[in-house]
Amino acid sequence: MRVVVDAVAKGRSALPATTTAFETGRASLVVAETEQRPTVLGLMASGRMKIDSGSVTVDGRVDARTLRRRVALVDAPIVSEPEPNVSVIGVVAEELMFAGHAPTPFAAARWLEGIGLDASAGLPIGNVEPTVRIRLLLELAALRKDVEALVLVAPDRHGGEPLAWWGIAQEFAERGYAVLVIAGQASHTAIEAAAVGAEIVAEVDAEVGEADDAAEVTR
């Protein structure tokens, strides 16, 4: 699955022309600043808002209905974020119902235990540590039938370390989902810097390995 968001825009200031793409097996990061723009972009990328200009295609076709069925919009402010005072177990029970499972507290507790998040069951979702919240909501979205892609909106608004939630997004990509994360410029800069640093380390390790191999040959 590949979704291409090509120069989409909304209104005079709701969202300036923005381009990105996300595909199966890969986590992509796109920048959207201000309070409303991440949600607007998420709604468009998931086929849930009319576009004033530009286009969104899924596997080369404009098909908003398919997008809505196959793309889950995760934790978008006002639109899909859970109420902060609802307990984690309550959030899970509701999502289990939407996914076609038994929406009982017992079923919710067992599901949380199964993914290792049972310690948070009684907490209000608004008080849950950022990375736990993000993992929880992505896992719940992935339960829904036909979902192949996850659009995570503004995870950086909860605080925490960008590399932590970016690592979670990458884990879901490795599980076969197409993942798009919409975040602010500061988070993008931190993640990009870490990626560059990792590349440099990998290059140095490779050069050291080649030098060791060459030294071994000359002995």
Side-chain angles (χ1 to χ4, degrees):
M1 179 183 188
R2 178 173 171 80
V3 179
V4 176
V5 180
D6 185 15
V8 296
K10 187 70 177 178
R12 290 187 175 182
S13 60
L15 184 73
T18 303
T19 296
T20 189
F22 52 110
E23 61 188 344
T24 300
R26 181 180 177 185
S28 300
L29 180 65
V30 62
V31 172
E33 296 279 11
T34 76
E35 182 178 355
Q36 294 183 344
R37 287 176 183 172
T39 296
V40 172
L41 180 56
L43 287 166
M44 290 182 173
S46 60
R48 290 170 170 82
M49 178 178 281
K50 184 178 178 181
I51 299 166
D52 288 350
S53 60
S55 66
V56 179
T57 58
V58 51
D59 296 331
R61 298 181 298 111
V62 175
D63 189 341
R65 183 176 181 181
T66 294
L67 280 172
R68 289 192 297 271
R69 178 171 57 86
R70 296 170 64 186
V71 181
L73 184 64
V74 182
D75 206 22
I78 300 175
V79 177
S80 64
E81 66 179 350
E83 291 292 330
N85 60 335
V86 176
S87 69
V88 166
I89 203 164
V91 171
V92 171
E94 183 177 24
E95 286 295 329
L96 288 177
M97 178 184 66
F98 290 140
H101 300 283
T104 65
F106 177 73
R110 286 193 63 183
W111 184 85
L112 283 166
E113 184 178 3
I115 63 169
L117 298 182
D118 47 307
S120 301
L123 294 176
I125 186 69
N127 291 349
V128 172
E129 191 269 330
T131 54
V132 173
R133 175 194 178 101
I134 289 161
R135 181 177 295 280
L136 170 69
L137 296 180
L138 287 172
E139 290 283 4
L140 288 169
L143 283 176
R144 296 194 182 189
K145 183 182 177 182
D146 298 328
V147 166
E148 299 176 40
L150 305 163
V151 175
L152 177 61
V153 180
D156 43 355
R157 76 185 189 276
H158 302 300
E161 170 57 49
L163 291 178
W165 50 254
W166 179 241
I168 295 171
Q170 290 179 310
E171 288 176 25
F172 277 83
E174 290 169 1
R175 285 164 55 176
Y177 292 96
V179 182
L180 178 65
V181 182
I182 305 170
Q185 184 61 57
S187 294
H188 183 276
T189 299
I191 292 167
E192 191 174 58
V196 170
E199 288 177 4
I200 292 172
V201 170
E203 289 175 3
V204 170
D205 287 346
E207 290 173 1
V208 170
E210 290 173 2
D212 288 345
D213 291 343
E216 186 68 29
V217 169
T218 58
R219 286 174 186 168

